[in-house]
Amino acid sequence: MKKLLLLFLSLLIFNIGKAQNSAVNIIPQPVEIRQLSGSFQLKNGQSISFNKAEARSVAEMLAQRLNVPTGFSLKAQQGNAGAIQLIINENDDVKIGKEGYILNVSPQKITISANAFAGLFYGMQTLLQLFPKEIESKKATKANWSVPAIKITDYPRFVWRGIMLDVSRHFFTKNEVKDYIDQIAKYKYNTLHWHLTDDNGWRIEIKSLPKLTQIGAWRVARTGHFGDREEPKEGEPTPYGGFYTHEDIKEVVQYAQERNVSILPEIDVPGHSMAALAAYPELSCTKQKVHVNPGTAFSEWYGNGTFKMLVENTLNPSDEKVYEFLDKVFTEVAQLFPNPYIHVGGDECYKGYWAQDAGCQALMKKLNIRHVEDLQGYFMGRVEKILEAKGKKLIGWDEILEGGISPKATVMSWRGVKGGIEAAHLGHDVVMTPTTFAYLDYMQGEPTIEPPIYAYLRTKKSYSFEPVPDGVDAKYILGGQGNLWTEQIPTLRHAYYMTFPRAWALAEVYWSPKEVKNWDNFAKRMEAHFQRNDISEINYSKAVYDAIIRTSRKNGKLIIEMESEIAGLDIYYTIDDTMPDQFSTKHDGKPLELPEGNITLRVVTYRNGKPIGHLIALKRTDLERRIGR
């Protein structure tokens, strides 16, 4: 009996160890994973060694990340005697490139080897994800600080892996931006696209043009839904806003560089310039005074994608003073940001004021162009020459293709992938960031529950994105990014709610080989990261647990279809004005024909007998409105 008991315990311990080893929940999924037997135990008194000076900062960062939650006093030291060893290769491993790494975990030690700092940093991020979730604690806590034995070889699919943060609609402090950088760097993003100017605020100090921040960085205080707010009144105080000084920007840029994140600054021109025109109205066609917009309805949008501005927000392309202004702006921007690109916007430029302006008409005649839209090509050509004189390259939204751009310009495809396909066929480098997959400001779940905006995008849809369209040479696709516009995002906590988990899905799209992508596998890892964020107190959305409800009409009857993003959820519903629970009618996966009458459909999801999703309640009128959507 004793022998049988010992054998049983041995098998139990083996299976527990095997189960621990199988719980590898890395996002984004590495290129190669080989799980081994055993585990490494982190202990107080161990050290983190590094072989070259350029690895010191990663070693020190790792020591701090481990010491806070464990309460240990691990130290970084040069040499090769550490229990955790960071190694910059003497000879480059061509397979892993600049940002790749090899992580080896054995019961005796951990080694991360890479060709450069970037690879070591990403190897560190993967290692931290192998520790138990308590590693995300902001204070010392108790846990089994072990890492499963494993070998990982990893490197990115794309060189451009970005997130855009809009700080014009709502200002985020430099410390909030640094915190956001920390969170995206965990998932191997290497670009923060910083949307610094728009109609709603100018956020970067330009010392040669002080009114840009004295006036353009501040607006009247307003609450309520963005786009439905009251117009500013003449003489009304403008307390809401903020901007970054040169010193702030230098600090953030350095902080980002230490995390292998390059910051791409955006100065949005010639449209989206109301904050600049509030400071310098003489740069517009009408030269009329405007206010920094607090979120009023200043435009009319039509069903075919065209629109009309009710207030001028566009720089005058025929005025030489505009280019003198831009030269001053880009001189200071170029000095502050080491990124080889400067983003110049170029999107949603309303040309109605140009069409009515005598100076623009004279310029069109001089250039022998018939269409006012072609003035944008002229404007962008002038801007590109300004940037080139400062050693920078131009990148803009896909509207910069209108009117022609130089072959050296890089295009961000946001209106679907069409602009990216066109740009690639013309030989332009392209960053894919289409609304259909990558817009993080869109609702991510049931529209009657989520904070309202004009479109929605579920995590599963983001995960399905393929950045290289059929028929396009992959060499022109630099990569992609997710875009977080902040009209409806006033706080950093809500920014995280909108960013995650969709940014995790996109991280895997941009980093991992497309052959390893699998939604159900990703979803399990995503849920493990929910738990990590619970401990780190970083907000995220749980909309993936909510039922998806679609409607159609067949033979005059209202038909309801229901499903979930996450496999294994049970959907319960009622149509008798009672609250649904696990004892209500369970959805069998078949279309439901809704009976006639003033009926409210109530739906909730469960897993393993426990509620997990939000309660959704839809009246018949609500259901009819979404037919075919």
Side-chain angles (χ1 to χ4, degrees), residues 330-341:
F330 288 126
T331 293
E332 296 187 35
V333 172
Q335 291 169 349
L336 289 168
F337 294 93
N339 193 301
Y341 291 97

Side-chain angles (χ1 to χ4, degrees), residues 124-178:
M124 176 190 74
Q125 298 296 352
T126 295
L127 173 61
L128 289 168
Q129 291 188 27
L130 290 172
F131 276 97
K133 61 182 183 294
E134 289 80 10
I135 203 71
E136 299 295 336
S137 176
K138 296 176 181 178
K139 59 184 180 181
T141 188
K142 290 183 178 180
N144 176 20
W145 301 115
S146 65
V147 179
I150 200 168
K151 181 177 181 180
I152 294 173
T153 301
D154 202 13
Y155 46 86
R157 180 184 177 195
F158 294 104
V159 297
W160 190 297
R161 307 178 305 280
I163 294 287
M164 188 217 73
L165 178 63
D166 166 19
V167 295
S168 172
R169 276 48 181 260
H170 289 284
F171 178 69
F172 294 85
T173 68
K174 69 177 180 182
N175 287 333
E176 288 177 324
V177 174
K178 286 159 72 173

